[in-house]
Amino acid sequence: MTITLYTLRGADPACTFSPHCWKAVMALKHKGLDFEERPLRLTEITRTEGGFSKTVPMLRDDGHLVSDSFAIAEYLEDSYPDQPSLFGGDGGRALTRFVEAWSQNVIHPAVTLIAVRDIWEILDQEDQPYFRQTRESRLGNTLEGTAANSAAEAAAFDAKLEPLRALLKRQPFFGGEEPLFADYIVFGALQWLRIVSTRWPLAADDSVTGWFNRCLDLFGEAGRKVPARAG
């Protein structure tokens, strides 16, 4: 039976931009599993699979439904143990939780402040009111008010990645010589920024940019299937 992965799209069905969905895409490719990707608009998610989840990614595999990118990675690791490991063992699985916490508490809020207005622009018109209402409530500011500070947030973004630069002095990936799910977590955050934002805040010769390009090239350049908005 075909594995189905529900992801998030903009007005253009080919513009799949969610950081969490990219984690799941890369996890499936890492495992070498065939799957069908079905991009959804924001307002379609709760009408899919009987309202199983309010968010994507959502995975259907042989009758099993799983939501949340980390839960999907754990499901794939446990269900397909003979395929390449996403964690490199139980210790790696536990340490990957720290990488996820760092990404979601440091990188994700920064990307939101840089690009929230950009995200609204690429959404389908049916999704834009919902996105504006929920994000303005969450941010305590209008999208336009937040966007007014995006240049300053982009300038400050570089410093938030110093832990990754320190790691890259010793090895090419979080996983060492080869990537693991920890790489896909941070890749998903930067892929989100690459796809939605009109600005890319990292220098071409930055070691993080080099690592990110290596991730983009994985699995037949799967990460490059959606072009960068900044050109």
Side-chain angles (χ1 to χ4, degrees):
M1 184 176 291
T2 302
I3 297 173
T4 301
L5 180 69
Y6 297 98
T7 58
L8 183 64
R9 53 165 277 196
D12 178 355
C15 183
T16 52
F17 62 90
S18 161
H20 305 295
C21 294
W22 274 102
K23 296 179 209 175
V25 166
M26 299 296 277
L28 283 158
K29 289 185 175 295
H30 183 102
K31 282 289 188 182
L33 299 170
D34 292 329
F35 66 99
E36 177 187 3
E37 185 175 353
R38 294 189 187 176
L40 303 173
R41 297 193 305 269
L42 274 170
T43 50
E44 292 178 318
I45 296 171
T46 57
R47 303 197 300 265
T48 301
E49 294 289 358
F52 173 76
S53 177
K54 295 180 180 179
T55 61
V56 286
M58 181 167 44
L59 182 84
R60 171 178 280 279
D61 180 24
D62 194 24
H64 298 283
L65 283 170
V66 188
S67 65
D68 178 82
S69 58
F70 207 103
I72 287 171
E74 291 190 303
Y75 169 81
L76 295 175
E77 186 79 341
D78 296 339
S79 299
Y80 299 94
D82 295 333
Q83 300 296 102
S85 175
L86 287 163
F87 300 109
D90 290 341
R93 187 183 301 218
L95 285 170
T96 301
R97 285 289 188 187
F98 172 80
V99 176
E100 182 181 56
W102 173 64
S103 182
Q104 295 192 183
N105 285 278
V106 177
I107 303 176
H108 281 226
V111 173
T112 298
L113 294 175
I114 293 168
V116 68
R117 183 60 168 73
D118 295 331
I119 298 169
W120 179 85
E121 289 176 354
I122 69 169
L123 293 176
D124 188 269
Q125 289 185 351
E126 185 178 342
D127 288 347
Q128 285 178 334
Y130 169 80
F131 183 85
R132 178 178 288 276
Q133 177 188 6
T134 56
R135 272 52 179 185
E136 289 184 346
S137 175
R138 191 176 302 169
L139 292 167
N141 197 355
T142 64
L143 300 185
E144 291 71 22
T146 302
N149 297 316
S150 63
E153 294 294 341
F157 188 70
D158 182 90
K160 300 181 189 299
L161 299 173
E162 278 303 315
L164 178 51
R165 290 190 188 91
L167 178 71
L168 294 172
K169 291 177 181 178
R170 297 178 176 272
Q171 58 201 58
F173 293 103
F174 279 91
E177 292 301 313
E178 300 293 336
L180 291 173
F181 189 62
D183 288 275
Y184 308 145
I185 288 171
V186 182
F187 168 77
L190 295 187
Q191 177 78 322
W192 177 32
L193 180 63
R194 170 184 171 270
I195 292 170
V196 303
S197 181
T198 55
R199 68 176 85 236
W200 177 256
L202 301 179
D205 61 354
D206 191 320
S207 61
V208 174
T209 302
W211 164 85
F212 183 63
N213 282 324
R214 290 194 291 276
C215 291
L216 286 171
D217 290 339
L218 292 169
F219 315 121
E221 300 187 338
R224 299 187 189 276
K225 72 174 188 177
V226 181
R229 189 173 182 195

